[in-house]
Amino acid sequence: MGAIRIAASMQGVHCVLHAPQGDSYADLLFTMIARSAKRPPVTYTSFQARDMGADTAELVQRRLREAVERFQPRALLVGEACTGELLQDQPAALAQGMGFDCPVIPLELPAFTRKEHWGASETFHQLVRSLLRGQPVRAPDPIAEGRRPRANLLGATALGFRCRDDIAEVTKLLDSAGVDVNLSAPAGATPEDLLRIPEADFNVCLYPEIAQSTCAWLERMFKQPWVKTVPIGVGATRDFLLEVGQVAGIDTSTAIAAGRTRLPWFSRSVDSTYLTGKRVFIFGDASHAIAAARIATEELGFEVVGLGSYSREFARELRAAAERYGIEALITDDYLEVESAVLALAPELVLGTQMERHIAKRAGIPCAVISAPVHVQDFPARYAPQMGFEGANVIFDTWVHPLMMGLEEHLITMFREDEEFHDEAVASHLGSGSVSAASADVAARPAATAEPTRSADDIGADAAPLWEPEAELELKKIPFFVRGKARRNTERFAAERGVARITVETLYDAKAYFGR
């Protein structure tokens, strides 16, 4: 799947996968989940059980020839699924000996022991190395060439989390700092684009899980420095621009000062201050999980009680981050282990992947998705980046709204027995324009049977007290979800003391009495 993600991200690249019949679920992931307009550029050998007794190598060669003739790729990736590995047909070696005009990149991916992110990282690394082999080392000088510094954005892929919008947001961010984007890869790039990587002055590692090994290799072989800060969150975005300035040798203070985001103000607003101290559990890929922990603690005032990732290759970075919050990192790809941790910690918000969404739903805990793997709702049609200053706005909305809705549901449950929330309620907090079934029934009664309006002289000792108009107005200032209880407590207070008319003073006396 990692190799397929790289092929599907690029143009002019095709992947031939030695795999059994039925092992083609990738089509569903890209077309139905990621909303891709075309199926991924993959040809499967699709061997069957009856092929096992024959020469499957001949089947591989036939599929390779058909794929090249049909799709005319400018670069060919050749690998095998975990089942295909058992046959030991070595499809990459067969492809290299078939004399194709396009570059053939062999994929030696141990599918039994490695995961998807590693497969994507290794595929991208091998693709870049193969295409740039023999390229001269350049020393671009933007000042001498009379141009602005140029950067490559590396790591965005298909099926990644908000990659499309992150590329656009980081491009705008760099432009505001006086930096041009040379290319973005693998997302949207062609094999010819990869040949232009050395023309940039530095690289930006947008997603370390995909591009870190490639950036490190480019630094060794082509002397290209790279920006390591992932700009997710307000603080990280400012740090990113500072690092860009250091790497590119330019002043980015103006871009930092001009950055506009509502997150800091919103996080200090009245609506958010009562969320301070909320206990949060975070799990996802290492980059998004570490960034989420920083945002949660430094920018929203939450308390991180759990931090974990399935990215074993970045376990050291994650453990270092967890240590800063006084907790132990959870490194696992077992969702049941993650579920046990969530239930044991009982957080008030879960930030995770699609799997953690299901875990939180079963546990009745608000949740927001921050990382792949994700479902179709996390490939929005709207612009919704995670990176940059606009990404900080999106993150605030995405994280805080589940807490707001959770609080609303809690209050409704708490006051569900009050008359304003009861199915048989006569009154409604929505006003005279909205009446319940019971009040509609009263309105429909004949006038002769309607209860007459009572005056103060008609009130007996056991009758409900009357409300003065000023007291009614004061009662309306109380939030609707506790107004019914306040009314009943006040009437009970007045009745016990023989008060026939409830005034503003009676209302506050009752409030003080029941608030003791």
Side-chain angles (χ1 to χ4, degrees), residues 123-404:
T123 300
F124 184 50
H125 187 192
Q126 293 300 329
L127 184 59
V128 171
R129 288 186 61 168
S130 297
L131 294 177
L132 291 182
R133 186 179 293 117
Q135 290 283 327
V137 177
R138 299 180 71 245
D141 186 346
I143 297 177
E145 297 174 19
R147 59 171 177 80
R148 303 202 307 179
R150 286 194 295 248
N152 298 317
L153 306 184
L154 304 182
T157 69
L159 282 186
F161 189 64
R162 309 289 172 82
C163 287
R164 175 200 66 190
D165 298 341
D166 282 345
I167 292 172
E169 188 63 25
V170 173
T171 299
K172 289 190 291 186
L173 195 64
L174 290 174
D175 180 66
S176 70
V179 176
D180 295 327
V181 172
N182 182 48
L183 61 87
S184 172
T190 65
E192 293 78 15
D193 289 332
L194 298 187
L195 296 175
R196 298 191 296 106
I197 286 179
E199 296 176 7
D201 303 296
F202 64 96
N203 296 311
V204 173
C205 187
L206 282 185
Y207 299 96
E209 285 82 356
I210 306 298
Q212 180 168 292
S213 60
T214 302
C215 288
W217 181 81
L218 289 169
E219 184 177 39
R220 291 195 308 270
M221 302 303 295
F222 290 89
K223 313 305 179 187
Q224 282 184 312
W226 52 297
V227 175
K228 301 176 179 65
T229 303
V230 180
I232 301 179
V234 178
T237 299
R238 290 171 178 163
D239 291 346
F240 170 80
L241 288 172
L242 284 173
E243 188 176 358
V244 166
Q246 293 169 357
V247 170
I250 59 176
D251 181 11
T252 57
S253 57
T254 302
I256 295 173
R260 294 289 181 265
T261 175
R262 299 178 181 88
L263 186 147
W265 185 88
F266 281 162
S267 64
R268 295 191 299 267
S269 66
V270 174
D271 287 340
S272 297
T273 50
Y274 63 82
L275 299 178
T276 300
K278 290 294 184 182
R279 303 171 70 255
V280 182
F281 181 91
I282 301 172
F283 192 89
D285 67 43
S287 297
H288 285 89
I290 292 172
R294 177 178 178 178
I295 296 169
T297 54
E298 298 180 11
E299 299 174 21
L300 292 175
F302 295 160
E303 177 189 359
V304 176
V305 297
L307 178 62
S309 175
Y310 53 80
S311 303
R312 295 185 181 275
E313 293 80 12
F314 292 84
R316 180 180 301 174
E317 291 85 347
L318 200 84
R319 290 192 177 102
E323 189 175 349
R324 291 197 292 271
Y325 309 114
I327 57 179
E328 185 176 349
L330 176 63
I331 312 296
T332 182
D333 52 20
D334 183 353
Y335 77 94
L336 293 177
E337 191 175 349
V338 178
E339 183 173 35
S340 297
V342 170
L343 296 178
L345 292 169
E348 293 158 293
L349 177 67
V350 171
L351 303 173
T353 71
Q354 173 68 9
M355 294 306 300
E356 284 66 52
R357 193 208 309 267
H358 291 304
I359 292 170
K361 184 176 181 180
R362 287 196 297 271
I365 303 172
C367 178
V369 174
I370 63 164
S371 163
V374 293
H375 212 330
V376 63
Q377 61 264 49
D378 295 304
F379 290 95
R382 71 185 186 282
Y383 185 66
Q386 296 292 286
M387 296 185 178
F389 293 118
E390 182 60 28
N393 294 335
V394 174
I395 287 172
F396 178 87
D397 288 341
T398 306
W399 295 12
V400 171
H401 289 174
L403 283 172
M404 297 287 195

Side-chain angles (χ1 to χ4, degrees), residues 409-423:
E409 184 175 349
H410 169 71
L411 291 174
I412 291 175
T413 302
M414 180 187 298
F415 297 105
R416 68 188 305 169
E417 298 303 324
D418 283 13
E419 65 180 14
E420 294 185 12
F421 289 90
H422 197 276
D423 289 342

Side-chain angles (χ1 to χ4, degrees), residues 48-129:
Q48 303 178 48
R50 65 171 178 262
D51 297 319
M52 306 294 280
D55 185 5
T56 50
E58 193 279 330
L59 173 65
V60 173
Q61 290 177 312
R62 186 168 67 249
R63 290 287 188 271
L64 284 165
R65 194 175 298 109
E66 292 171 352
V68 171
E69 291 176 357
R70 178 181 178 185
F71 297 105
Q72 298 293 310
R74 303 198 291 278
L76 184 66
L77 305 176
V78 183
E80 48 198 342
C82 53
T83 310
E85 288 181 27
L86 301 176
L87 300 179
Q88 299 183 348
D89 285 327
Q90 298 182 327
L94 292 173
Q96 287 178 316
M98 294 179 68
F100 295 130
D101 293 333
C102 62
V104 176
I105 293 89
L107 303 178
E108 300 295 336
L109 307 178
F112 284 106
T113 58
R114 294 289 192 167
K115 302 300 179 184
E116 180 181 315
H117 269 159
W118 184 89
S121 174
E122 184 66 12
T123 300
F124 184 50
H125 187 192
Q126 293 300 329
L127 184 59
V128 171
R129 288 186 61 168

